[in-house]
Amino acid sequence: MINAWWIIGGVLFVLLNTAAGLIWLERRMLALWQDRYGPNRAGPFGLFIVLADTLKLFFKEDWIPPFADKVVFVFAPAVVVASVLMSFVIVPFAPGIVVADLNIGILFFLAMSSLGVYSIVLGGWASNNKYALLGAMRGASQMISYEVFMGLALMGVVVLSGSFNLQQIVESQRTVWFVIPQLLGFLIFMVAGVAETHRLPFDIPEAESELVAGFHSEYSGMKFGMFFIGEYLGVTLISAMVVTLYFGGWLGPSFLPPVVWFAIKTFAFISLFILLRASMPRPRYDQLMEYGWKVLFPLSLLNLLVTAAIKLWLVTK
Amino acid sequence: MFSLLRSMWLVFLHMFHKRDTYQYPEQKAPLPARWRGRIALTRDPDGEERCVGCYLCAAACPVDCISLQATEDEHGRRYPEFFRINFSRCIFCGFCEEACPTYAIQLLPDFEMAEYNRQNLVYEKHDLLIPSQGKYPGYNYYKVAGLAIKNKDKGEAEHEEPPVDIKSLLP
Amino acid sequence: MPIINIDNIPYEVKEGKNLLEACLSLGLNLPYFCWHPALGSVGACRQCAVKIFKDEQDTRGKLMMACMEPVKDGMRLSVNDSEAVAFRGHVIGWLMTNHPHDCAVCDEGGSCHLQDMTVMTGHAYRDYHFSKRTYRNQNLGPFINHEMNRCIQCYRCVRFYKDFAGGKDLDVFAAHNHVYFGRQQDGTLENEFSGNLVEVCPTGVFTDKTLKQHYTRKWDLTTAPSICQGCGLGCNIIAGERYGSLRQITNRYNGAVNGYFLCDRGRYGYEFVNSKDRIREPLVVHAPDDKANGLPVLQHVRNRMKPGKMIGIGSPRASVESNYVLKELVGEHNFYLGIGEIEHELIRLMLKLLKEGPVRSASLQEAAAADAVVILGEDLTNTAPMMALSVRQAVRRMPVENAISNIHMPAWQDAAVREAVQENKGPLFILNVVETKLDEVATGAYHTAPDNIARIAFAVSHLLDGTLPEVTGMSDEGKQAAATIAAALRGAKRPLVIAGYGGGSEQVIRAAANLAWALKQQGADAMLSFTVPECNSMGLEMLGGLRLESAVDAVLNGSAETVLILENDLYRRLDLHTANQFFGHCKEVIVLDHLHNPTTERANIVLPAGTFAEADGTLVNNEGRAQRFLQVLSPQGSVQESWRWLLQLGDICGHTHLRSLLHYDDLLKAIAAKYPVFAGIDTITPPADFRIAGQKIPREPHRYSGRTAMLANINVSEPKPAEDGDTALSFTMEGYRGEPPSSVIPFFWAPGWNSVQSVNKYQVETGGSLHGGNPGKRLLEPNVNGQTKFYTNIPDPFIPVGGHLLLVPLYHIFGSEELSIHTPGIAQRMPAPYIMLHSEDARRFQVAAGHLLYFMDNGHQYALPVVINDTLQKGAAGIPVGLPHMQVAEAPQLVKI
């Protein structure tokens, strides 16, 4: 067993660098799919753009609007980063490489990801700006709604593995990855995950073509940077969860160490997130809610019922 | 649903397309002749300033970045005493060129005019005036207008009759 | 009121109007050229065609010229009928066949009636490809530029110049399509109202030559409502600024004052504002041991003020506000009116007569409506030019009314009415010491000494009202004149008596009042008008103060040491020797003025005062009408309003009352509260916090250009625009775009109407008052209920004294006014100094024209070249007033030759 502090340090280091790296990665990938180069000037392959961006964010005027609720305004961006980082506590990167091997891992993940709503609502509210408030309201309802389907979709995996512990869930996929029996659940989880991280095409709380910049209209400098980092961490988290829950986590042929398999799979899903951004138009707000409640909700219930029934049948047989 | 997947697939395929970007400083982009870039004041075929200081460009300018003062030489030919464009405000919309009745002000296909000091973006007449007719060779406003100037008396412009002899009684 | 149907919508219109006036008054857009609200209709341009239908069944209708059709009840017409529209489009097309392609280099462009009408009719492309007619231009002098190619033959110029203003040297020449509007040969246009051609001409044939020196389009001018400073009539003007200099003066319509026109002194006398002689920074003369260098200038002023030893000298060309603050600062008993003895007495008398007498003072427009006029001792064309223009209209009043009743034509049928009137003139009698320009339209002109003028007027009063004293010892000539005048005045319904400062005689003023009162007693609606010399002479007198001579005494006897002089060149008020003596005895002289002059040369401290273009202020004109001029430009250097300098001085001195006046509106309220005669001057213009739809009124039109470039050569970061905390106007183009209150209209513009003709849209009816009433407030109303105290003291007749001549002042429209002579064009038309003699007197003193005549005044000798004029009263000598380098004593007075 490796020292837990080393794991925590390692996880934090890797995650924060990943989030920063995603800034560069996303721009390069988008450029690739749009027949451009993307950042290619600063450093090799334009990698230093991350550095430049961060420096820029640090040196921007750290402005708090005079009409804002100051305490909440400062507090909100911290919430998003903190809640996402907390979620990573239960993610098993490889056998034994996990910060806290909780037996209620999935519940902890759900609890933490719902906390993210607060940052959006509080940020939007504290900005005291109509666009920010509209964005926050949209964000709140979108995230709360999709939280439901996400949780329901997950239950299929829990039913199959019989555990809330993520290490055990990974272990129970040795025979078959849960994406096969839980294809529907996976799809619902994917969609809900995109909505949960309010990434394109579901970036309705920001919706720059309607709401300036949505809930973070009034944010600048590193406080905006926190929202920015929070979003990329969220993308990483959802990808990691998808891999853990449906694609066998660290499992893979033994010519590569398990943690590398985990990283490769996660990276693939991150790329998928970016591809989504590159190709999908943003739905209307009401369409999003309708799709959630009228399509995904019955489907996820159905998925759970069918999974539970089959499991029951298999157990009793 | 299928269309979504299809568009994702098509976007994905762009990975293998050629990139459209010009790697600018090393590789110059070809600019069409009517590209709206640097603003210049051109000269007529006789080499005189085309600008007559009519203020229409200044009035058309949506960011009000043109200012000038009209004046006259001893023969009655109008020209701008000063002509100033604040390029730090200019949006290169080309309205000034469209408004110009004498083809004096023209936008040329050149955009490399960046400066480290904003003050250097304020161009005066001697910065703007070029020894060329620009895009409209051959045009000479004073050949069309009825005003008398040096070397062109009343009635000597295009489509003009010689001045009326008001003492004549002939019909 | 008749109801007419225009495009099937019924409108109520005023009777006696023509259809064009009716349509324009209703706010409809109907193009026109030859019609002008002040000139009437001639139906020459065929531009205002509308379709008139017989009745509801009539679908074909017929094209008629709206300006020639009187309004009839139940009439049906169409402005938008397709045939009428096409007809108007074709008319413009024909007018444009010979119009050159030179809008870009035309000064009228952007405020051109022809451009507006061309756009209005939709004639956007020219389809005429043949040769254009050209003309040679003339040099018409320093004011007017001539570009005949642009002419569209509307005839407005000659109709204004000859028919309206009485000019003789502009006419129409040649025939058929070669008609030419100009002079018989090159030369300066002589008429004093020639500048109006610029506004009357619908296109760019006549343009403002002074504007050409620093040409700016109308849309680029920062403009503000202002009041002309040229004479005491207070004509309303619009002053326009660009790049920190004043560029142009245009007429600001005021239905009660100047109407549509201005005189040339008013229009062209503005360039002193841009003069290189302007004082832009405070100047302090330091004593050799003065260690106070670098102190703020007001601290210097304060250090040099000695309590109890300071006097203030006001000025008739400074605003009421500035004079008031000075009076408060130095105290009532130390405030002197900065005007000469004679002038002071005259204006004090005029004010008394207008306040206490039963006859109302006439505005310029009321004067134009008079049907009989008597002018006593005034050369109006030179002392109050616009009044002369009004008199020229008044002369036509009676014959026009007769003609209208004979030929049954409305008054606006200009050509027909003129045909009927021919050369008939209404009664106009001019009694002056020498011939005047108005004599040519007078029924009778008598040239005699001021005392004799008064005697004749007294005699006329006696003939009208037997109870008034008879004048004894009249000459036959005088008796006959009195009888003629009395006979003519008896039939008049609205007679007008004009006198003023020009004669320089109190007796003439008294006689004029007597005459007007006698007419009133006879039941006529008599009017009285006194001219005053400077723009605020009346306001200064209403404020009140001590005479200038006592200021001289106070300084000479040592009771005053520090003198604070407000916008006044005392060398124009006192003779050279008195002035030198005065300044020699002053310990400290502090002067506030615009331009360097002999007085500022004697000053220890000079503070740069804002001219009318750089200041807000109130002036009271000869009629007693208080009018406000508003700041046009934010001044360069340390220039600011005199009242602001004095308020700051009051603040630094701890003057409690002046300290309490934080805003301009506070100052106005304080004046209105302290002086009942000024009650209401705080309401002439809306207060500084006035907003329409939450916005101020912009001084710049919405097309104003170059804001981000005009100062970019100095610094690419644009400075914050100047703010105006004193008035409801802003210095930017941001603000309310609709029609502002009539007193603060910065420019006339309406959609589709860029030229001055857009004033139609601001009027209740064409030629009527502005929406919301004409600006200004009359402060003097006659005392109609009191007993009229007629004057019974009749002066003795004038008898020439051997070896002496009676100096009489002669005024010149170009030259007699202090500030306007700093304008190159005006200076060019200024006469050289002279002394005018009758040929008999010239023989008596053995001089001929051109010789120098030496004479003594107050122990000092003067010499002036002689000019002979036989219409001058024998024994009198005329000297021009106010010309530079004429250091001559006050006139009238008897001098030894």
Side-chain angles (χ1 to χ4, degrees), chain C residues 240-559:
Chain C
E241 171 265 355
R242 178 81 177 171
Y243 303 133
S245 70
L246 200 60
R247 296 290 165 110
Q248 190 189 22
I249 300 291
T250 49
N251 174 60
R252 179 161 63 99
Y253 181 84
N254 183 330
V257 186
N258 50 315
Y260 289 92
F261 305 113
L262 291 177
C263 73
D264 286 0
R265 188 204 274 175
R267 186 181 298 269
Y268 296 111
Y270 66 92
E271 280 176 295
F272 71 89
V273 175
N274 309 332
S275 165
K276 60 180 184 348
D277 295 337
R278 277 299 298 279
I279 304 161
R280 302 272 184 200
E281 293 296 336
L283 305 168
V284 181
V285 178
H286 291 285
D289 58 342
D290 194 350
K291 296 196 182 71
N293 260 323
L295 272 183
V297 65
L298 286 173
Q299 205 65 49
H300 279 290
V301 180
R302 198 217 152 147
N303 293 347
R304 294 177 187 205
M305 281 164 49
K306 283 216 186 72
K309 288 269 190 183
M310 185 172 71
I311 59 169
I313 296 178
S315 167
R317 64 174 162 88
S319 60
V320 173
E321 290 86 337
S322 300
N323 281 307
Y324 168 80
V325 179
L326 179 63
K327 189 170 177 180
E328 288 297 314
L329 184 66
V330 297
E332 198 152 334
H333 303 297
N334 297 318
F335 179 72
Y336 299 85
L337 302 182
I339 50 177
E341 180 81 24
I342 296 175
E343 199 177 308
H344 174 53
E345 291 302 332
L346 285 177
I347 301 168
R348 200 166 65 148
L349 179 61
M350 293 175 196
L351 185 61
K352 180 168 172 271
L353 297 176
L354 291 179
K355 254 198 314 208
E356 293 169 9
V359 170
R360 163 187 171 82
S361 66
S363 73
L364 283 175
Q365 294 306 307
E366 284 166 345
D371 56 359
V373 184
V374 181
I375 302 172
L376 299 176
E378 245 342 70
D379 179 4
L380 276 186
T381 316
N382 287 312
T383 57
M386 282 299 290
M387 185 61 92
L389 193 63
S390 285
V391 168
R392 280 183 188 274
Q393 310 321 308
V395 164
R396 292 193 70 235
R397 193 65 49 188
M398 209 181 256
V400 164
E401 274 167 19
N402 291 338
I404 291 170
S405 57
N406 284 340
I407 60 172
H408 305 293
M409 280 279 182
W412 46 260
Q413 276 280 15
D414 193 53
V417 170
R418 273 183 201 281
E419 199 64 32
V421 168
Q422 294 292 332
E423 289 299 304
N424 291 344
K425 299 271 188 303
L428 164 64
F429 296 94
I430 300 175
L431 292 84
N432 194 23
V433 69
V434 69
E435 64 179 349
T436 71
K437 202 162 179 182
L438 276 178
D439 287 0
E440 67 194 27
V441 289
T443 328
Y446 308 98
H447 307 130
T448 180
D451 284 348
N452 294 348
I453 294 172
R455 285 169 63 80
I456 295 177
F458 276 118
V460 176
S461 312
H462 170 72
L463 290 174
L464 289 171
D465 184 344
T467 60
L468 296 178
E470 193 178 349
V471 182
T472 50
M474 289 276 284
S475 66
D476 287 347
E477 204 181 333
K479 270 186 194 151
Q480 203 185 350
T484 325
I485 296 171
L489 289 182
R490 270 204 192 92
K493 288 193 275 299
R494 295 183 306 278
L496 168 67
V497 182
I498 302 175
Y501 72 100
S505 159
E506 280 181 58
Q507 292 297 349
V508 172
I509 304 281
R510 289 206 184 93
N514 244 24
L515 179 53
W517 295 346
L519 285 164
K520 176 97 182 169
Q521 205 101 320
Q522 300 301 306
D525 186 10
M527 294 177 288
L528 187 55
S529 182
F530 292 125
T531 62
V532 294
E534 278 171 80
C535 55
N536 199 25
S537 292
M538 196 59 99
L540 183 67
E541 202 60 53
M542 284 161 85
L543 190 68
L546 308 169
R547 56 197 64 225
L548 183 58
E549 276 67 14
S550 13
V552 177
D553 294 344
V555 167
L556 295 188
N557 67 25
S559 64

Side-chain angles (χ1 to χ4, degrees), chain C residues 576-636:
Chain C
L576 178 67
H577 311 286
T578 318
N580 279 340
Q581 207 180 0
F582 172 76
F583 285 117
H585 280 77
C586 290
K587 291 254 164 50
E588 299 288 347
V589 180
I590 300 151
V591 178
L592 294 103
D593 215 334
H594 327 304
L595 294 162
H596 283 293
N597 58 33
T599 298
T600 61
E601 278 169 25
R602 305 298 302 257
N604 303 90
I605 298 179
V606 180
L607 298 176
T611 61
F612 72 97
E614 292 136 340
D616 301 312
T618 311
L619 304 175
V620 183
N621 75 354
N622 71 323
E623 180 199 350
R625 184 183 295 268
Q627 303 186 100
R628 176 129 328 124
F629 58 93
L630 300 183
Q631 199 174 346
V632 185
L633 53 123
S634 34
Q636 304 167 356

Side-chain angles (χ1 to χ4, degrees), chain A residues 28 31-38 40-41 187 272 275-276 278-281 291, chain B residues 1 4-5 7-9 11-15 17-21 23-26:
Chain A
R28 287 292 289 197
L32 190 63
W33 287 317
Q34 292 167 358
D35 299 345
R36 299 185 283 115
Y37 284 96
N40 66 345
R41 293 277 159 183
L187 290 175
L272 184 69
L275 180 60
L276 272 173
S279 53
M280 292 290 139
Y291 180 64
Chain B
M1 188 69 197
L4 290 178
L5 291 175
S7 58
M8 279 173 77
W9 174 244
V11 170
F12 182 76
L13 284 183
H14 270 268
M15 207 140 87
H17 283 211
K18 192 177 166 290
R19 302 188 202 219
D20 290 336
T21 312
Q23 290 286 20
Y24 163 61
E26 299 87 27

